[in-house]
Amino acid sequence: MAGKNRNKEKGKGFERDICKIMTKYFGGSWIRTWGSGNYVGGKNVDRMNKLSDSQIHNNRSDITPPDEFNLAIECKAYKDFPFNTLLGDGNAIMDKWIGQIETDIQGEEFYMIVFKINSKGIYIVVNTKFLKSGLKTSKNFSMYKFDGKTYLITAFEPFIAENVEIIRELSK
């Protein structure tokens, strides 16, 4: 692995793991997006003006879902995460992640941030506006506020397993 960025490889492996989990629950072909959303995300958001809807759909987040899903998934894999700061005045890392996906999707579609912290677990972040659609929460979750909005943070796979049909509906 000489010459390769280990953090990038770790991130790519995590994205592939999320694809496997999404395939397990939803079927279809969930794949890691080449370039992991950087093609139209972040500082490259202006590229969207030159692309077709399907080109944008296939390049805007870390995971490319099957065609029948209008869903953006950002994946983050970190060695450590300061969970304690979620309870204070804010968490710069979480704020950056939320700001990134809010910029990249530019709309009302359903999206999620999935993050893995070494030896801690895999978690999901979802805007609470989608809870009105019937999404169920596990008994253990946290709420996080950023930019006037509230977000649910909970364990990833139990949340997905509990909400398959609702996520399918939200992603049409």
Side-chain angles (χ1 to χ4, degrees):
M1 202 181 251
K4 289 199 176 191
N5 182 329
R6 288 185 187 188
N7 289 335
K8 255 189 167 169
E9 293 305 311
K10 176 181 166 184
K12 289 178 185 179
F14 177 56
E15 290 166 359
R16 285 189 289 270
D17 291 343
I18 295 305
C19 289
K20 289 175 189 171
I21 293 168
M22 296 303 282
T23 299
K24 172 181 162 183
Y25 288 100
F26 297 98
S29 177
W30 296 76
I31 61 170
R32 183 186 162 273
T33 303
W34 184 87
S36 293
N38 289 334
Y39 189 74
V40 295
K43 59 187 169 193
N44 296 321
V45 74
D46 290 337
R47 283 189 179 149
M48 286 199 253
N49 298 328
K50 302 172 194 164
L51 301 174
S52 70
D53 288 344
S54 64
Q55 288 173 316
I56 293 168
H57 176 76
N58 290 330
N59 287 288
R60 68 191 164 155
S61 67
D62 293 332
I63 306 296
T64 301
D67 289 341
E68 64 269 18
F69 286 86
N70 188 22
L71 169 67
I73 304 173
E74 276 297 315
C75 297
K76 307 294 181 186
Y78 277 52
K79 179 179 180 180
D80 198 16
F81 185 82
F83 283 99
N84 60 309
T85 62
L86 293 174
L87 302 174
D89 291 331
N91 177 293
I93 297 167
M94 184 65 67
D95 294 352
K96 180 180 174 185
W97 295 348
I98 293 169
Q100 174 189 356
I101 197 162
E102 292 272 347
T103 299
D104 291 352
I105 62 154
Q106 296 187 344
E108 290 295 314
E109 71 195 81
F110 185 60
Y111 62 89
M112 58 182 80
I113 300 167
V114 182
F115 68 101
K116 174 184 176 183
I117 306 302
N118 289 2
S119 303
K120 300 277 190 273
I122 301 174
Y123 305 92
I124 186 170
V125 180
V126 176
N127 189 316
T128 57
K129 72 180 179 181
F130 298 114
L131 296 179
K132 295 174 190 161
S133 301
L135 286 173
K136 298 171 188 80
T137 62
S138 65
K139 57 184 171 180
N140 294 310
F141 62 90
S142 180
M143 296 293 189
Y144 183 76
K145 292 192 179 283
F146 172 71
D147 199 26
K149 300 173 189 162
T150 305
Y151 299 85
L152 170 82
I153 303 172
T154 192
F156 172 67
E157 195 163 354
F159 180 83
I160 295 297
E162 183 70 24
N163 291 293
V164 170
E165 292 309 315
I166 296 164
I167 291 170
R168 195 179 301 277
E169 280 297 311
L170 285 169
S171 301
K172 286 186 173 179

